[in-house]
Structures are given as C-alpha cells and as structure tokens.
Amino acid sequence: MKIILFANTEWYLYNFRLSLAQRLRDEGHDVVLLSPPGEYGEKLRELGFRWIPVPFSTRSTNPFENLSLIRQLIRLYRHEKPDLVHHFTIKCVLYGTIAAKVIGGVKIVNAVTGLGHIFTDPGLKAKLIRPVVRAMYRFALKGENVRVIYQNSDDRDQFVDWGLVDKDRTALIRGSGVNVETFTGRGTRNAENKSQVTDNGSLVTDNGSPVTILFASRLLREKGVFELLEAFQVLRQKHPRVELLIAGDLYLENPSSLTSEDVEKLKVMDGVTYLGHVDGMQPLLAESDIVVLPSYREGTPRILIEAAAMEKPIVTTDIAGCRGLVVDDKSGFLVPVKSVEHLFEAMEKLVGDPDLCERFGRRGREIVLAEFDEKIVIDKTLQVYKELDQG
C-alpha cells in the first residue's frame, strides 16, 4: 500500500514514529511523511523517506487559515493517491480526515493521543470552541473506512459516551512504544555508583554526586511544572544535595505554555537546572536517578516509558495515561493531580531509600518489556491497518 503518516511536527515523526515508518518500508509499502517544516524533515529525507512539508499553525483557530489547510491537503492527497492515511494529533486528525473523505476511497487511521487543550482548558474561549470541535470529531472519527487508536481506555470511553466514535471501530494501543535495546539498564550512573543515604537523610551516590530528579516534557502548565517546582523547593530544604533537571522547550503554539519570564525565574531557583530542548533522552536518563511527571492529563507519556525501560523509579499522577505503565508502590508512586504535598512525599520516599529506587526500577522495566516494547506497539498498529484493509 501507499501510506501517508501525517503529524503536527517533523520532530514527532522522527522521534516517535520513525520505527513504524521503517517497518512499513521494510515490508514493501510506499511511505510518505507529512508535517509542518522543520529541521528534522531533512533528517527524515537523509534516511531515505519522502517527507513533504505542509505549512500550518497548530494553534490557529482562524477559519480562513484552516480552510486553506484543508484545500492544501485535498490537493496533496489527490496527487499522492494514498491507500491509507494515519493522522497523529488533533489538527491532523480533523483536517486530514476531511481531506481524505473528500477525495474518497482512502482508508483512515486516526490516533487520538488525549483530549487536547480544547477539552481541558476551563477558559471561555475553549468552552465556545468545544461544540465545534466535537462536531468535527464526530465527522472525522465515524465511518466504515475509519479506525481510531486511543492511548488509554478513559479517553476512548469519553469519546464513546459523547457519541463521537463507535467503540467497535477503535483500538487501544498504549503510546508509540520504545526501543528496549536502546533504552536499557539503569544507565552508567546507577550501575556504577550505587546510591546511599547520608547521616542527614539525603541521598547521594557513592562518588559524592547529588541525586538527580528529571522532569522532561513540553513546558505546559498542565504538565504540573509549577506544582513540581513548589514541591522541589520543600524537598531541597530538607535534602540540599538533591537536584532537579528540567528538560523541555516552550510550546508557545499552546495557550497553556509557560512564558519566557517563567523560564527565567526557574533558572535562578536553588538546585534547578534548565536544559531546554534535549535531543535523545537516553544519555540524560542514564545520568538521572528519579523521573517525575506530575501531569494533569496524558495519553501515554513516552518519557515515562523510556524511564521505566531504563529502570528509573517514577513519580507521576494517578491518571489514566500513567496507570498500568506505573503501578503504585511497585514501579513508582502515583499521586493525586495538583497535590504539592503528595508529590513532595513521594519524591522524599525515593530520595531516602535507594533500595526502593532499585526495586521500582526493575519492576518498571518488566512492565515495559511485557507491554510497551515498540515491536509490540508496531505489531498492534499494523494489525489495525490489516483489519481496515480487509474491511
């Protein structure tokens, strides 16, 4: 088949869906990659893929800009004549599906990675747009030639309850998976320098370096950044050898993005190091001891899969996208959303108990090997393609 993979950034295609594209190519399919322009597009081309830049703003709600995108996609789909299109993220799902249905005869796979900002933002603008987006989702997700992939059952059930999708045309696939051969072991830091507790209760490695907590995600309010910073300040007062690494970039296309001023403030916080965007998480995870993601809502976070694969203990929120990947008090701690107190307590337990960290890490990797190996995820995705192709 000729298959188009369409995402809202070329970075997403390169980092999260490259293995899928390679597997499809290896099996003889003609693969075309679409996204807005960006530096990773050339990297995709260097790997031998056809990458076509499709300029559009992921944030814009301007109807004229959106109509222009739809017309652009209709022309492109008519020219390429794909057998199947796989859309990732909300705007690609909505407008890519409209284009595919206009030209007809195209099998459509839509990946819904979460409810999105429109459904989680309590603001007036989001509330006004919400009915329109629901109507568009209903159009995009229904149809005999459409299948919808969700990353957790709560999101799927919510869409079914809203009447936006037929459950028998959905699949549940937890994230994009991870290469368990690349993301393996506890990394050089913990493998060689077993942690210990000092007399004052602070956790340090045998070589005297401080314990490092890692947050790696887009800098959005709903990722729990501010709650984490508040909890860490309390933790730092009790355990001055603990450090926090913040890896991630501003996402100004999203109204929930932190500002440049917010970043400047966190840069001067005691014990906090801001790294900005990081290419390739494996070396950074290898140098970290604990991974924290106190998000309000997630599909299935890739960073937590990578962390668990590398046997890192995890603190995250008790939400659908994180449950199962993280088993409370077995491979990490699940804490209530927006609870600074519980977040602090969970981090402190790990900071004070290196044996617990090691035990959680081992169990986390077992979970990844059983459910989140990218080979398993790709097999499930190709099964969706096969079932759709066979009608």
Side-chain angles (χ1 to χ4, degrees), residues 81 112 132 141 148 224 231 236 263 293 306 318 353 360 382:
K81 297 181 175 61
V112 177
V132 177
L141 303 183
V148 186
R236 176 82 174 181
V263 170
L293 183 67
E306 293 173 343
D318 189 8
D353 195 338
F360 279 6
L382 296 189

Side-chain angles (χ1 to χ4, degrees), residues 194-205:
K194 184 176 174 62
S195 300
Q196 63 181 359
V197 180
T198 62
D199 291 340
N200 69 353
S202 293
L203 182 63
V204 298
T205 59

Side-chain angles (χ1 to χ4, degrees), residues 355-374:
D355 291 333
L356 181 65
C357 290
E358 189 172 347
R359 187 164 68 250
F360 279 6
R362 287 198 303 268
R363 178 60 182 135
R365 181 163 175 84
E366 290 172 1
I367 293 170
V368 170
L369 292 174
E371 301 180 43
F372 296 93
D373 183 337
E374 70 177 7

Side-chain angles (χ1 to χ4, degrees), residues 311-365:
E311 300 186 30
K312 303 298 178 178
I314 293 169
V315 177
T316 190
T317 37
D318 189 8
I319 55 176
C322 299
R323 286 185 223 114
L325 168 58
V326 178
V327 179
D328 189 40
D329 208 20
K330 299 293 183 182
S331 63
F333 288 120
L334 297 173
V335 301
V337 172
K338 299 183 182 181
S339 175
V340 173
E341 179 182 358
H342 287 90
L343 187 57
F344 159 74
E345 291 174 352
M347 290 191 295
E348 187 178 41
K349 286 179 182 177
L350 292 174
V351 163
D353 195 338
D355 291 333
L356 181 65
C357 290
E358 189 172 347
R359 187 164 68 250
F360 279 6
R362 287 198 303 268
R363 178 60 182 135
R365 181 163 175 84

